[in-house]
Amino acid sequence: MKTAVYRKTHFNSAHRLHNPQLSAEENERIFGKCNRPNYHGHNYELIVKVTGEIDPISGYVIDMKVLADLIKEHVEEKFDHRNLNLDTEEFKNLNPTAENIARVIYDILRSKIDIKFDLGIRLYETERNFVDFPA
Amino acid sequence: MKTAVYRKTHFNSAHRLHNPQLSAEENERIFGKCNRPNYHGHNYELIVKVTGEIDPISGYVIDMKVLADLIKEHVEEKFDHRNLNLDTEEFKNLNPTAENIARVIYDILRSKIDIKFDLGIRLYETERNFVDFPA
Amino acid sequence: MKTAVYRKTHFNSAHRLHNPQLSAEENERIFGKCNRPNYHGHNYELIVKVTGEIDPISGYVIDMKVLADLIKEHVEEKFDHRNLNLDTEEFKNLNPTAENIARVIYDILRSKIDIKFDLGIRLYETERNFVDFPA
Amino acid sequence: MKTAVYRKTHFNSAHRLHNPQLSAEENERIFGKCNRPNYHGHNYELIVKVTGEIDPISGYVIDMKVLADLIKEHVEEKFDHRNLNLDTEEFKNLNPTAENIARVIYDILRSKIDIKFDLGIRLYETERNFVDFPA
Amino acid sequence: MKTAVYRKTHFNSAHRLHNPQLSAEENERIFGKCNRPNYHGHNYELIVKVTGEIDPISGYVIDMKVLADLIKEHVEEKFDHRNLNLDTEEFKNLNPTAENIARVIYDILRSKIDIKFDLGIRLYETERNFVDFPA
Amino acid sequence: MKTAVYRKTHFNSAHRLHNPQLSAEENERIFGKCNRPNYHGHNYELIVKVTGEIDPISGYVIDMKVLADLIKEHVEEKFDHRNLNLDTEEFKNLNPTAENIARVIYDILRSKIDIKFDLGIRLYETERNFVDFPA
């Protein structure tokens, strides 16, 4: 049986939900106040889950400091105190819903973490709304 | 791979654990202070999990406002500021344990949410005792 | 300068807000769904604050175990898994609002704790609604 | 002795810290990443404290529903899912630090709440940084 | 479909991460400040998950009081207010990482809980670092 | 009216409550399991409160980054991942109760923060036991 380890961190970003392929009315209907033009923002809380075998020498699945540094360098530096729509390549053409942000973070970290580990992303947009990728 | 989205909400209810098929002594032995005749109560916290594909137009698995409204109409209106044993059809003949409340909420919401989505219920009776249905 | 120490605990109770001196309409108008006849309930969280000098021998303001036992014996045993309106002397003729519950707990504990200490009560009815007595 | 009641709510906003009277270098030195031009955002948590006497008829200091509606109408509607710098009159010429946001909310609510009550504002910008006005 | 029930509890322990088979330099490199010789400590939060069928008589998967007593007797009494490295048999020759503590707790409780139930352990070392066994 | 700003941080330490002027029996009676010889530990949460006027140029009471750096350098570096009894000068001859730790942190920070600001320390030993100095 494998063990999962989790690292919780956070970043604070502005965003706006908007699909340029839709009309203004459709955007307003689907996204409501999240579509307002001048952005709003969130304290995103991110939990990264790494699943694998416990290393018998260290007693670790993965070194949490290494994992924390990876998240800091590749996720926090990119998204923290940024406007997701304006300041990031990832959301230039992708609507920054919580679902899509989680998927983007998964793709970023998947390429940095040994494939022998399973990876999971939980992202809290607020304490009332959150997502897992993969489910 | 699918994505899971979660919506957290709450309701405040009175209840009492009691099985009329058991003797008073058995009820007291099994349910302890939860069996006291005049009810006690909880701030129930409910997390509804919906699993599916991300819609490419909206970037949503499901519109969280639609989900929140479903929960409000069919769960909160029914249970919030109610006595589960006395005021609800569901627990007239079913002991309102956290397990049974979660299962009842699952049944209520399962019939309202498109079958293409998987559904999961987490119910916190207190921050120390909580349940998932299905596991 | 004095030091304050805090002990957090909890109890789960049913209650109903109702003033028998008011008409049914007035009760419904003032208390809304909190006035429903069959009770609802809460996970009350209680924080007891005791302020005094640090004892130079123990390094304590007050022994937290002694304080915890006092709260358990005189507050939790009385209110936990009870119906405040039906099962307690204190709320037979007093509306069990959060304000009044805090004041009652203050009176109970004030008589048990050395007068050299200042006493304060914080009571969370929910995480969104809470009170302090005294302010 | 008086009683204090507290109502917790929240709003999600974008903002940027910037003082146009300062040079770009000074803005960058003082506000760091909070000065980035395209905004970032927060899940602000707001706790409004109202202090007064318990009304003997209702058992309330103030009707929490009335207080919650005031906060919703005059604070949440104004700031939630907005850009504080661009979308609000209050921060057109005032730097939206947590300190200033708390003071602005105090001024808004002070004019709506009977002067017989004392008023206090706690604002969490994040769970690590928060302010009280007045102290 | 089965139901999972969860019981949350806690214990406060000192520990040090150290593998005597490694050199002092390797221990320092792998474990950093967690390797300091005089120990540090944590408020461990433990969530025990038990999965099974709801008993039609009680409405319980398992009696939470029985589960809580098992955890208290076999886990809390052993680890709470102890030095994991010095005071416990389990970590005399096993590095007390969160991963290993979770696995040890699993083994302890697995032998006490009917095999018809699935068992899972979540252990929070801090709110930022936590593990599940099995994953 | 002044404004208070708060910065929350944490450190993880081992400690033991013991007064060498008392007999072993008295130590055991007063401190119970906190007196066990091989130490236990906590995730201490520290909230530092600074009260003053809002600076009209920055909109800050105090620069939170400066405050956070002060806490990191003078408190966290000293206590985090340490044994308070063995590794610190402050508790060589002072019993490391939460009360005394808060007072020591107050003294450390008071000498580093401009006297025009009022200073307050809140220290959580656990979420159930915490202290304020000054009260």
Side-chain angles (χ1 to χ4, degrees):
Chain A
M1 288 190 298
K2 293 190 172 180
T3 300
V5 298
Y6 300 82
R7 174 71 187 176
K8 183 174 163 228
T9 181
H10 59 274
F11 54 92
N12 309 317
S13 310
H15 81 151
R16 176 201 186 195
L17 300 186
H18 185 76
N19 183 339
Q21 300 172 298
L22 300 174
S23 69
E25 290 71 26
E26 283 173 310
N27 270 296
E28 208 285 335
R29 182 182 55 78
I30 296 174
F31 300 118
K33 59 188 179 181
C34 296
N35 183 243
R36 287 179 183 159
N38 288 326
Y39 312 98
H40 61 282
H42 296 293
N43 301 333
Y44 289 97
E45 293 211 329
L46 170 65
I47 298 176
V48 176
K49 175 186 184 179
V50 174
T51 304
E53 303 289 347
I54 301 177
D55 178 279
I57 301 300
S58 66
Y60 286 160
V61 168
I62 189 173
D63 185 328
M64 275 301 205
K65 188 168 180 335
V66 171
L67 179 61
D69 287 347
L70 272 177
I71 300 168
K72 188 172 185 58
E73 179 181 351
H74 298 288
V75 179
E76 291 175 56
E77 295 288 345
K78 192 186 285 281
F79 296 146
D80 186 37
H81 283 69
R82 304 283 184 189
N83 184 308
L84 298 179
N85 304 67
L86 298 181
D87 296 334
T88 73
E89 283 306 309
E90 286 81 357
F91 299 104
K92 281 275 158 58
N93 298 300
L94 181 66
N95 200 7
T97 58
E99 290 90 330
N100 280 335
I101 302 172
R103 204 179 58 180
V104 161
I105 293 172
Y106 177 88
D107 288 343
I108 292 171
L109 292 177
R110 184 64 285 179
S111 68
K112 309 291 178 191
I113 291 174
D114 191 327
I115 200 66
K116 75 180 177 183
F117 297 117
D118 288 329
L119 178 66
I121 301 298
R122 172 166 286 190
L123 185 74
Y124 287 82
E125 191 172 87
T126 69
E127 63 172 309
R128 287 159 294 285
N129 290 331
F130 54 103
V131 305
D132 281 341
F133 183 79
Chain B
M1 288 189 298
K2 293 191 172 180
T3 299
V5 298
Y6 299 82
R7 175 71 186 176
K8 183 174 162 228
T9 182
H10 59 273
F11 54 92
N12 309 317
S13 311
H15 81 151
R16 176 201 186 197
L17 300 187
H18 184 76
N19 183 339
Q21 300 172 297
L22 300 174
S23 68
E25 290 72 25
E26 285 173 309
N27 271 296
E28 209 286 334
R29 183 181 56 78
I30 296 175
F31 301 118
K33 61 188 181 181
C34 297
N35 182 244
R36 287 177 182 158
N38 288 326
Y39 312 99
H40 60 283
H42 296 292
N43 300 332
Y44 289 97
E45 293 210 329
L46 170 65
I47 298 176
V48 176
K49 175 186 184 179
V50 174
T51 304
E53 304 288 348
I54 301 177
D55 178 279
I57 301 301
S58 66
Y60 286 160
V61 168
I62 190 173
D63 185 328
M64 275 301 205
K65 190 172 179 331
V66 171
L67 179 60
D69 287 347
L70 272 178
I71 300 168
K72 188 171 185 58
E73 180 180 351
H74 298 289
V75 179
E76 291 175 56
E77 295 288 345
K78 192 185 286 280
F79 296 146
D80 186 37
H81 283 71
R82 303 284 185 189
N83 184 309
L84 298 179
N85 304 66
L86 298 180
D87 295 335
T88 74
E89 283 306 309
E90 286 81 356
F91 299 104
K92 281 275 159 58
N93 299 300
L94 180 66
N95 201 6
T97 58
E99 290 91 329
N100 280 334
I101 301 171
R103 203 178 60 180
V104 161
I105 292 172
Y106 177 89
D107 288 343
I108 291 171
L109 292 177
R110 184 63 285 181
S111 68
K112 308 292 178 191
I113 291 174
D114 191 326
I115 200 66
K116 75 179 176 183
F117 296 118
D118 287 328
L119 177 65
I121 301 298
R122 172 166 286 191
L123 185 74
Y124 287 81
E125 191 171 86
T126 70
E127 62 172 308
R128 287 158 296 281
N129 290 331
F130 54 103
V131 305
D132 280 341
F133 182 79
Chain C
M1 289 190 296
K2 293 190 172 180
T3 299
V5 298
Y6 299 83
R7 175 70 188 176
K8 183 174 163 227
T9 182
H10 59 273
F11 54 92
N12 309 317
S13 311
H15 81 152
R16 174 202 187 195
L17 300 187
H18 184 76
N19 182 339
Q21 300 172 298
L22 300 174
S23 68
E25 290 71 26
E26 285 173 309
N27 271 296
E28 208 286 333
R29 182 182 56 79
I30 297 174
F31 301 118
K33 60 188 181 181
C34 298
N35 182 244
R36 286 178 182 158
N38 289 326
Y39 312 98
H40 61 282
H42 296 292
N43 300 333
Y44 290 97
E45 294 210 329
L46 170 65
I47 298 177
V48 176
K49 175 186 185 179
V50 174
T51 303
E53 305 288 347
I54 302 177
D55 178 280
I57 301 300
S58 66
Y60 286 160
V61 168
I62 189 174
D63 185 329
M64 276 301 206
K65 191 170 178 332
V66 171
L67 179 61
D69 287 347
L70 272 177
I71 300 168
K72 189 173 185 58
E73 180 180 351
H74 298 290
V75 179
E76 291 175 56
E77 295 288 344
K78 192 185 285 281
F79 296 146
D80 186 37
H81 283 71
R82 304 285 184 188
N83 184 308
L84 298 179
N85 305 66
L86 298 180
D87 296 334
T88 73
E89 283 307 308
E90 286 81 357
F91 299 105
K92 281 275 159 58
N93 298 301
L94 180 66
N95 201 6
T97 58
E99 291 92 328
N100 281 335
I101 301 171
R103 204 178 59 180
V104 161
I105 293 172
Y106 177 89
D107 289 343
I108 291 171
L109 292 178
R110 184 64 283 181
S111 68
K112 309 292 178 189
I113 290 174
D114 192 328
I115 201 66
K116 75 179 176 184
F117 296 117
D118 287 329
L119 177 66
I121 301 298
R122 172 165 286 189
L123 185 74
Y124 287 82
E125 190 172 86
T126 71
E127 61 172 310
R128 288 160 295 283
N129 291 329
F130 54 102
V131 305
D132 280 342
F133 183 79
Chain D
M1 289 189 297
K2 293 190 172 181
T3 299
V5 298
Y6 299 82
R7 175 69 187 176
K8 182 173 162 229
T9 182
H10 59 273
F11 55 92
N12 309 317
S13 310
H15 81 150
R16 176 202 186 194
L17 300 187
H18 184 75
N19 183 339
Q21 301 172 297
L22 300 174
S23 68
E25 291 71 25
E26 284 173 310
N27 271 297
E28 209 286 335
R29 182 180 57 78
I30 296 174
F31 300 118
K33 61 188 180 181
C34 297
N35 182 243
R36 286 178 183 157
N38 288 326
Y39 312 99
H40 61 283
H42 296 292
N43 300 334
Y44 289 97
E45 293 210 330
L46 170 65
I47 298 176
V48 176
K49 174 185 184 179
V50 174
T51 304
E53 304 288 347
I54 302 178
D55 178 279
I57 301 300
S58 65
Y60 286 160
V61 167
I62 189 173
D63 185 328
M64 276 301 206
K65 191 171 178 330
V66 171
L67 178 60
D69 287 347
L70 273 177
I71 300 169
K72 188 173 185 57
E73 180 180 351
H74 298 289
V75 180
E76 291 175 56
E77 295 288 344
K78 192 185 286 280
F79 297 146
D80 187 37
H81 284 70
R82 304 283 185 189
N83 184 309
L84 298 179
N85 305 66
L86 299 180
D87 295 335
T88 73
E89 282 307 308
E90 287 80 356
F91 299 105
K92 281 275 159 58
N93 299 300
L94 181 66
N95 201 8
T97 58
E99 290 91 328
N100 280 334
I101 302 171
R103 204 178 58 180
V104 161
I105 293 172
Y106 178 88
D107 288 343
I108 292 171
L109 292 177
R110 184 65 284 181
S111 68
K112 309 292 179 190
I113 291 174
D114 191 326
I115 200 66
K116 75 179 178 184
F117 296 117
D118 288 327
L119 178 65
I121 301 298
R122 172 166 286 190
L123 185 75
Y124 287 82
E125 191 173 86
T126 70
E127 62 172 309
R128 286 159 296 283
N129 290 330
F130 54 102
V131 305
D132 280 341
F133 182 79
Chain E
M1 288 190 298
K2 292 190 173 181
T3 299
V5 298
Y6 299 83
R7 175 70 187 176
K8 182 174 163 228
T9 182
H10 60 273
F11 54 92
N12 309 318
S13 311
H15 82 149
R16 176 201 185 195
L17 300 187
H18 184 76
N19 183 339
Q21 300 172 297
L22 300 175
S23 69
E25 291 70 26
E26 285 173 309
N27 270 298
E28 208 286 334
R29 183 181 56 79
I30 296 174
F31 300 118
K33 61 187 180 182
C34 297
N35 182 243
R36 286 179 183 157
N38 288 327
Y39 312 98
H40 60 283
H42 295 293
N43 300 333
Y44 290 96
E45 293 210 331
L46 169 66
I47 298 176
V48 176
K49 175 185 184 180
V50 174
T51 304
E53 304 289 347
I54 301 177
D55 178 279
I57 302 300
S58 66
Y60 286 160
V61 168
I62 189 174
D63 186 328
M64 276 300 206
K65 190 170 178 333
V66 171
L67 179 60
D69 287 347
L70 272 177
I71 300 169
K72 188 171 185 58
E73 180 180 352
H74 298 288
V75 179
E76 291 175 56
E77 295 288 344
K78 192 186 286 280
F79 296 147
D80 186 36
H81 283 70
R82 303 284 185 189
N83 184 309
L84 298 179
N85 305 66
L86 298 181
D87 295 335
T88 73
E89 282 307 308
E90 286 80 357
F91 299 105
K92 281 275 157 60
N93 299 301
L94 181 66
N95 200 7
T97 59
E99 290 92 327
N100 280 335
I101 302 171
R103 204 179 58 180
V104 161
I105 293 172
Y106 178 87
D107 289 342
I108 292 171
L109 292 178
R110 184 63 285 181
S111 68
K112 309 291 178 191
I113 291 174
D114 191 326
I115 200 66
K116 75 180 177 184
F117 297 117
D118 288 328
L119 177 66
I121 301 298
R122 172 167 286 190
L123 185 73
Y124 287 82
E125 190 172 86
T126 69
E127 62 171 309
R128 287 159 296 284
N129 290 330
F130 54 103
V131 305
D132 280 343
F133 182 80
Chain F
M1 288 189 298
K2 293 190 172 180
T3 299
V5 298
Y6 299 82
R7 174 71 187 175
K8 182 173 163 229
T9 181
H10 60 274
F11 54 92
N12 309 317
S13 310
H15 80 150
R16 175 202 187 195
L17 300 186
H18 184 76
N19 183 339
Q21 301 173 295
L22 300 174
S23 68
E25 290 71 27
E26 284 173 310
N27 271 296
E28 209 286 334
R29 183 181 56 79
I30 296 174
F31 300 118
K33 60 187 181 182
C34 297
N35 182 243
R36 286 179 183 157
N38 289 326
Y39 312 99
H40 61 283
H42 296 293
N43 300 333
Y44 289 97
E45 294 210 329
L46 170 65
I47 298 176
V48 176
K49 175 186 184 179
V50 174
T51 304
E53 304 288 347
I54 301 178
D55 178 279
I57 301 301
S58 65
Y60 285 161
V61 168
I62 190 174
D63 185 328
M64 276 302 206
K65 191 172 178 332
V66 171
L67 179 60
D69 288 347
L70 272 178
I71 300 169
K72 188 172 186 57
E73 180 180 351
H74 298 289
V75 179
E76 291 175 57
E77 295 288 344
K78 194 185 285 280
F79 297 146
D80 186 35
H81 282 70
R82 304 283 184 191
N83 184 308
L84 298 179
N85 305 65
L86 298 180
D87 295 334
T88 73
E89 282 306 308
E90 286 81 358
F91 299 105
K92 280 275 158 58
N93 298 301
L94 181 66
N95 200 7
T97 58
E99 291 91 329
N100 280 335
I101 302 171
R103 204 179 59 180
V104 161
I105 293 172
Y106 178 88
D107 289 342
I108 292 172
L109 292 177
R110 184 63 286 182
S111 67
K112 310 292 179 191
I113 291 174
D114 191 326
I115 200 65
K116 75 180 176 184
F117 296 117
D118 288 328
L119 177 65
I121 301 299
R122 172 166 286 190
L123 185 74
Y124 287 82
E125 190 172 87
T126 69
E127 63 171 308
R128 287 160 295 283
N129 290 331
F130 54 103
V131 305
D132 280 342
F133 182 80

